Amino acid sequence: MVREPLRRRSLLAAGAAAVMPAAAAGRVRAANRGTVEMQLLNITDLHGYLQAAPGTDAVVTGAGGARYTVGGAAYLAAHLKRLRRGHRNSVLFATGDLFSGWEFDATAFADEPTIEVLNRLGLRFSTAGNHEFDRSPAFLTRHMEHGEAYPEAGRDDAFPDSTGRPFHGADFRYYSANVVWSATGRTVLPPYNIEWADAGDGRRIPVGFIHLTVPGTASFPCSYQPALGTLDPLATADRCAAELASRGVRALVLSVHDGAHAGPDPTTGTHPSGPAYELARRVSPAIDAVVTGHWHHRFTMSVPDPDGVPRPFVEAGCHGQVVNETVLRLDPGTGRVVRELTTSVNHPNTRDIAPDPGMERITAYWAGQAAARARTPVGRQTGSFTRQRTPAGESTLGNLAADWARWAGSRPLGPFDDGNIHPARPADLGIVATAPRTGPCILGGDLVHDGASGTVVFAAAWNAVGYGDPVLTVTVGGRQIHRALEDQWYHADGQLQFAPLAVSRNVQYTYDATGPAGDRIAPHDVLLDGRPLDPSRSYRLAAPAYTLLGLDGTTAFAGFRTPVRHERDHESFIAYVRAHTPLTPAPLGRVRARG
């Protein structure tokens, strides 16, 4: 049984007490007898963590300082079963980022294990988060929703599920009202859906759900999609609310994948802030509840709508930590939500109960499959590739990654690569940051020769290069390339620092470390295919999106043109290993110090 919830609040007024006086409770019970209850259960930002919540997310603090160990789909299934008991109208939904994360058990199988788990949980629908676009719009709709395989079933996706059947896709649908195709303005996904509450005697009451994805999703590094854009969330939500009202829907819920802080105490909602909070304050008063995600926070609070009437504003953490339960009371005569009777509570997904045995079998199956996949050979190597750098910043693994980036950025686009608007053209060079100023490094681990057969197994390749980012090919000027190489040296904390960039095998250059800032490398000392770099010429450059967007401190490529998104790094690097086996470490010397 779930212990004390993290937060329970009657939304009679902003800041109302969690426990109502007996007289008030009696009045609510009397009023409830004339209404129709609809239980909304929601989760968010699962990110494929099916076994347990990771790291510090595995423990949450609730009301009164109580601490709970949380997470795991098998426990979530058991809690949901209990929560649904006795509720005729119950809907489980999510506010996005359910798949595409960092849990090997799920992501190594094209996130299909997450979909199987969500199907088993009875998820009715979900808002699309930014990470749902980490592969492509077609991957989301054609593969994750409908089960279409690409490119090779059983190797790249379309794996047998825990029942032995091929992946068939989601039993639920994704929605977003504000992710659009830039060329036409049409939404990629349906903007809203209508659920129906059984009011008895054959009567049904419609409840509309409007869905928003965080603005800028198409420009984020993982979900970078040149063909997509996002509309203004406030105007979009208000428009959808008006459309649903014109269809006779009087009860509305806004499900938005964007974030907020509750303030110092998530159980009181004091000093809240963030874009989702500002949206909750301003969005149409016809909306009766705002459910959010994206920032991985946990809170239940009430926020006054533009007419001053309180409505719930909630978020259910991340990684399967909690389930939010918001109970709406619907007037059967008008179909409207009786706001003052709405309650909301976050239930911790504790691990102190018996896990659901069916779900436990599913997660155990995928853990076993992941262990086997980790050991699967994908190629061979004749020597070790390590991150150990020379004084010039070179390493064998860095050079391999730069060669991979150029190769990845020269591959033709496939039928699932529908997030592009420009034709793919081969990359002239590849660049990878091997010691970035800020943020993660794409080099995750050495690719060490086993001393015998030289077999490269799946997990070794997966862990060596990649953090879930796509490779982009973009047009930049020669001056930008030269500036990026010059910017490897920078001052911080009064010291000269070095953030080396690995370059593909067709690039060599000489530098003078003693030269003044901005004058350590002469453009004519940078050779591309044996010819000096031309500052006035344009080149096609392949690099991880994180670098090209300047998020690792590399700013020289700002203003790049004609971007083309290619495959995500994990999958792409494994494809490179398969295509170039055996891998042989090339001699160092692409970068040399003068003198």
Side-chain angles (χ1 to χ4, degrees), residues 92-224:
L92 173 65
F93 70 101
T95 56
D97 280 9
L98 297 176
F99 66 84
S100 190
W102 304 270
E103 181 74 335
F104 184 81
D105 289 11
T107 193
F109 291 94
D111 293 295
E112 293 171 7
T114 304
I115 299 299
E116 182 180 1
V117 163
L118 295 170
N119 287 345
R120 178 66 179 246
L121 290 176
L123 189 73
R124 192 79 63 86
F125 56 87
S126 180
T127 303
N130 52 296
H131 282 290
E132 266 82 16
F133 293 96
D134 279 1
R135 300 285 283 271
S136 70
F139 183 82
L140 173 60
T141 57
R142 290 165 54 185
H143 180 67
M144 298 306 266
E145 287 195 318
H146 301 296
E148 183 179 338
Y150 176 80
E152 185 174 324
R155 189 194 75 174
D156 302 301
D157 55 19
F159 302 97
D161 66 16
S162 67
T163 69
R165 293 190 293 265
F167 178 70
H168 71 269
D171 296 336
F172 58 92
R173 294 281 76 86
Y174 274 99
Y175 296 85
S176 177
N178 67 321
V179 176
V180 298
W181 298 103
S182 298
T184 64
R186 297 184 61 182
T187 59
V188 175
L189 300 165
Y192 49 74
N193 62 300
I194 299 173
E195 299 293 320
W196 296 85
D198 181 359
D201 300 324
R203 297 174 301 160
R204 298 195 308 161
I205 302 173
V207 179
F209 292 82
I210 302 165
H211 302 269
L212 297 174
T213 305
V214 57
T217 285
S219 298
F220 293 170
C222 292
S223 54
Y224 192 90

Side-chain angles (χ1 to χ4, degrees), residues 141-423:
T141 57
R142 290 165 54 185
H143 180 67
M144 298 306 266
E145 287 195 318
H146 301 296
E148 183 179 338
Y150 176 80
E152 185 174 324
R155 189 194 75 174
D156 302 301
D157 55 19
F159 302 97
D161 66 16
S162 67
T163 69
R165 293 190 293 265
F167 178 70
H168 71 269
D171 296 336
F172 58 92
R173 294 281 76 86
Y174 274 99
Y175 296 85
S176 177
N178 67 321
V179 176
V180 298
W181 298 103
S182 298
T184 64
R186 297 184 61 182
T187 59
V188 175
L189 300 165
Y192 49 74
N193 62 300
I194 299 173
E195 299 293 320
W196 296 85
D198 181 359
D201 300 324
R203 297 174 301 160
R204 298 195 308 161
I205 302 173
V207 179
F209 292 82
I210 302 165
H211 302 269
L212 297 174
T213 305
V214 57
T217 285
S219 298
F220 293 170
C222 292
S223 54
Y224 192 90
Q225 302 288 348
L228 303 186
T230 48
L231 303 178
D232 176 75
L234 179 61
T236 303
D238 285 350
R239 173 177 52 78
C240 290
E243 288 181 12
L244 284 163
S246 71
R247 298 176 60 179
V249 182
R250 299 290 180 260
L252 298 177
V253 176
L254 177 60
S255 176
V256 53
H257 190 78
D258 203 355
H261 288 286
D265 185 354
T267 66
T268 62
T270 54
H271 308 297
S273 62
Y277 170 70
E278 294 302 323
L279 179 65
R281 291 177 58 242
R282 300 170 59 200
V283 75
S284 169
I287 292 171
D288 298 290
V290 180
V291 184
T292 186
H294 187 50
W295 281 16
H296 296 194
H297 290 165
R298 305 178 304 277
F299 54 79
T300 59
M301 68 176 91
S302 60
V303 175
D305 69 19
D307 291 342
V309 182
R311 57 186 170 192
F313 178 53
V314 301
E315 184 171 341
C318 63
H319 303 151
Q321 293 175 321
V322 300
V323 179
N324 175 262
E325 178 190 23
T326 297
V327 178
L328 305 180
R329 289 284 175 173
L330 306 170
D331 185 319
T334 65
R336 298 184 185 278
V337 173
V338 183
R339 292 263 189 101
E340 61 267 24
L341 302 181
T342 302
T343 58
S344 188
V345 56
N346 275 347
H347 300 276
N349 178 28
T350 60
R351 298 171 65 90
D352 58 354
I353 64 169
D356 179 83
M359 189 65 77
E360 199 168 35
R361 283 192 295 271
I362 294 173
T363 57
Y365 167 80
W366 284 114
Q369 291 294 104
R373 188 160 174 79
R375 300 188 297 267
T376 302
V378 294
R380 291 183 56 253
Q381 61 187 112
T382 62
S384 292
F385 296 85
T386 74
R387 292 165 291 176
Q388 183 176 353
R389 296 191 298 273
T390 68
E394 265 195 284
S395 68
T396 51
L397 185 62
N399 285 355
L400 178 68
D403 291 341
W404 152 74
R406 184 189 178 207
W407 174 83
S410 300
R411 299 184 77 190
L413 300 178
F416 271 35
D417 296 321
D418 63 339
N420 287 300
I421 54 177
H422 302 291

Side-chain angles (χ1 to χ4, degrees), residues 436-438 487-499 517 520:
R437 299 188 190 190
T438 61
D487 287 351
Q488 294 174 103
W489 295 270
Y490 66 100
H491 281 87
D493 300 324
Q495 300 290 325
L496 182 65
Q497 307 288 338
F498 184 38
R520 293 185 173 94

Side-chain angles (χ1 to χ4, degrees), residues 428-475:
D428 295 310
L429 72 161
I431 283 180
V432 166
T434 60
R437 299 188 190 190
T438 61
C441 180
I442 199 169
L443 305 184
D446 297 339
L447 198 58
V448 179
H449 190 277
D450 64 7
S453 65
T455 298
V456 180
V457 297
F458 188 96
W462 185 276
N463 294 325
V465 175
Y467 46 47
D469 220 27
V471 168
L472 304 183
T473 305
V474 300
T475 299

